[in-house]
Amino acid sequence: PCPKGQNNTKKGTAIMKTTVLRKYARLIATVGANIKKGQEVIIAAELDCPKFVELLVAECKCLIHVPTS
């Protein structure tokens, strides 16, 4: 199940909930999974919370990004 409030459609509340979900995704990626730069990441998830999965993928991409220079 989705974290409480993810499906809330009120404009101000939805923005706040997305912020909270993004922080939770960052916590999972940095502390829970301890993802490092250049590391391969595979996420297996149910799609009952697609917005949270999107946020988690975005956080992981930020952490594993290796600049091409």
Side-chain angles (χ1 to χ4, degrees), residues 3 14 19 23-24 26 33-34 36 46 55 61 63:
T19 302
K23 288 179 181 180
Y24 186 50
R26 185 173 298 136
N34 195 24
K36 302 295 182 194
E46 296 291 329
L55 294 169
K61 282 183 176 182
L63 292 171

Side-chain angles (χ1 to χ4, degrees), residues 4 9 13 17-18 24-26 29 39 41-42 47 49 53 55-56:
K4 277 189 169 182
T9 57
T13 306
K17 297 302 178 185
T18 299
Y24 186 50
R26 185 173 298 136
Q39 181 177 352
V41 177
I42 298 172
L47 291 181
C49 299
V53 175
L55 294 169
L56 182 58

Side-chain angles (χ1 to χ4, degrees), residues 5-25:
Q6 179 178 346
N7 296 325
N8 194 328
T9 57
K10 290 181 183 178
K11 187 175 181 180
T13 306
I15 292 170
M16 179 61 172
K17 297 302 178 185
T18 299
T19 302
V20 171
L21 288 174
R22 182 173 288 116
K23 288 179 181 180
Y24 186 50

